[in-house]
């Protein structure tokens, strides 16, 4: 069985690792190497960790854990106001195996040991299904035949373009993400020691905040740059009509835009953004699949898909990477359990909504709130509401600190 995977993102690499002893797998990606990627810090859910433990060689799992923060750094999630006062502190279930990892480091480790199965600088432009298989065409005009083609090349997948309409739509939101190395002078809320937070102001500007405690100590040199030093990771989210065109902006322009948008937040926040590492600052546009639409809007055959190619979601829920990994695990298990490819693909596609739809819905919650705050009347109402909620939350937080029961 020959399987061509278009895209060496997290889902495509997990699928290749899971099938390496069961099929001839070829992974194609337009990047020049695995380090050639950006993206947010990846929060791996217990389900995603279980897939990695089950399908990735133990040596690589150990390497992933060596560059990741563990569950103790994600025991809660905080919703805060623009002064970073906690409004809601939601505890995560105890005893769950979670990991927080830099996307670049995770991608580099998942690429290890694949050898000639992994072909970088190979751009897929289209795919075509046949009676007994499928094929992909590359940008150089070459063609690769397979028994199965898996689109894992992200939202607006080129692999699916010739067989299906777009499976996701623009949310109207864009983001600027950065990473500020921690020093003894760096300010941050103490609740970040227990997990990430999402802050929002009355204008609909959101800010995701997370601490990385895993530094360079004990990490191999080839992963040191990917992991980076202990840092405050921030991700600004805003409506495109409020932030303008950022996709082609320089790192300095992105930092200036982000710091200006939070100028009226807590006084030290703009300075933290200005201290961010230019090499780790980038802009993103957010797309999302319709949770009420079918995941696979094409006639079933020898082309299927995983990850953002079929269930795109914005990073506002922190679920995209984990959902892609879970889909890769499910497809691998179906293919190894059922020798008939058509039956295996059908079983996989029938199950995807179980985990994809809840993840999409959760990710769209903050998107809907930020969109709603584009209305001036909503902004007028949100100002005092967020102020009162922040005041009450800050008092509750101070009392928990005094009693020794809070983070």
């Amino acid at each position: 069985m020959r399987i061509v995977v278009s895209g060496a993102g997290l889902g495509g690499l997990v699928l290749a690792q899971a099938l390496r002893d069961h099929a001839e797998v070829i992974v194609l990606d337009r990047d020049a190497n695995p380090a050639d990627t950006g993206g947010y810090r990846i929060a791996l859910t217990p389900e995603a960790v279980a897939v990695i433990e089950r399908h990735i060689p133990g040596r690589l799992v150990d390497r992933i854990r060596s560059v990741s923060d563990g569950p103790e750094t994600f025991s809660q999630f905080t919703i805060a106001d623009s002064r970073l006062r906690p409004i809601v502190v939601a505890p995560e279930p105890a005893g769950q195996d979670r990991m927080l990892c830099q996307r670049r480091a995770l991608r580099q480790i998942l690429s290890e040991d694949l050898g000639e199965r992994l072909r970088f600088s190979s751009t897929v432009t289209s795919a075509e299904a046949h009676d007994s298989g499928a094929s992909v065409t590359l940008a150089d005009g070459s063609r690769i035949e397979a028994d199965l083609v898996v689109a894992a090349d992200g939202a607006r997948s080129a692999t699916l373009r010739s067989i299906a309409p777009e499976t996701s739509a623009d949310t109207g939101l864009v983001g600027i993400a950065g990473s500020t190395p921690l020093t003894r002078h760096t300010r941050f809320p103490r609740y970040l020691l227990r997990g990430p937070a999402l802050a929002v102001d009355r204008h609909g500007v959101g800010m995701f905040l997370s601490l990385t405690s895993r530094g360079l100590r004990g990490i191999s040199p080839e992963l040191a740059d990917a992991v980076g030093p202990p840092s405050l990771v921030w991700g600004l989210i805003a409506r495109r009509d409020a932030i303008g065109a950022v996709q082609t902006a320089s790192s300095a322009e992105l930092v200036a835009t982000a710091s200006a948008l939070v100028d009226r937040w807590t006084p030290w926040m703009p300075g933290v953004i200005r201290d961010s590492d230019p090499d780790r600052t980038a802009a993103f546009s957010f797309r999302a699949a319709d949770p009420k639409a079918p995941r696979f809007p094409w006639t079933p055959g020898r082309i299927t898909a995983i990850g953002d190619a079929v269930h795109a979601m914005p990073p506002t829920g922190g679920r995209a990477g984990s959902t892609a990994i879970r889909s890769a695990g499910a497809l691998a298990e179906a293919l190894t359990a059922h020798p008939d490819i058509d039956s295996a693909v059908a079983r996989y596609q029938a199950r995807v909504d179980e985990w994809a739809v809840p993840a999409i819905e959760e990710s769209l919650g903050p998107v809907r709130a930020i969109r709603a705050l584009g209305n001036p009347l909503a902004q007028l109402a949100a100002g005092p509401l967020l102020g009162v909620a922040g005041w009450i939350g800050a008092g509750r937080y101070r009392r928990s600190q005094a009693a020794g029961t809070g983070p």
Side-chain angles (χ1 to χ4, degrees), residues 127-150:
E128 182 181 358
H130 314 298
D131 291 339
S132 59
S135 63
V136 296
T137 301
L138 277 61
D140 63 5
S142 62
R143 185 183 178 102
I144 301 176
E145 299 288 339
D147 297 297
L148 176 68
V149 169
V150 181

Side-chain angles (χ1 to χ4, degrees), residues 176-220:
I176 301 174
S179 181
T180 303
L182 294 177
T183 71
R184 60 188 182 90
H185 301 294
T186 306
R187 301 282 299 274
F188 62 84
R190 285 184 55 81
Y191 52 73
L192 292 181
L193 294 169
R194 298 282 298 276
L198 178 66
V200 65
D201 69 11
R202 68 185 183 92
H203 299 289
V205 175
M207 178 71 77
F208 175 84
L209 296 167
S210 178
L211 289 179
T212 67
S213 61
R214 177 66 68 182
L216 305 180
R217 184 178 302 172
I219 294 175
S220 59

Side-chain angles (χ1 to χ4, degrees), residues 34-118:
D36 186 13
T37 186
Y40 283 82
R41 192 182 188 206
I42 300 295
L44 297 181
T45 63
E47 295 82 6
V49 173
V51 170
I52 287 173
E53 288 280 3
R54 187 160 56 247
H55 293 295
I56 306 301
R59 183 185 71 84
L60 299 186
V61 175
D62 291 341
R63 282 172 63 75
I64 293 171
R65 290 193 181 277
S66 75
V67 300
S68 302
D69 289 324
E72 69 282 355
T73 62
F74 198 165
S75 59
Q76 65 185 34
F77 187 84
T78 302
I79 304 293
D81 68 358
S82 60
R83 293 175 60 186
L84 301 187
R85 298 177 299 187
I87 297 173
V88 176
V89 179
E92 294 290 327
Q96 292 189 334
D97 192 2
R98 292 177 174 270
M99 287 191 279
L100 292 167
C101 185
Q102 298 291 2
R103 176 184 171 85
R104 192 193 308 175
L106 183 56
R107 191 189 192 203
Q108 287 181 221
I109 295 170
L110 289 173
S111 297
E112 292 181 16
D113 299 343
L114 288 177
E116 295 181 357
R117 301 177 183 90
L118 186 52

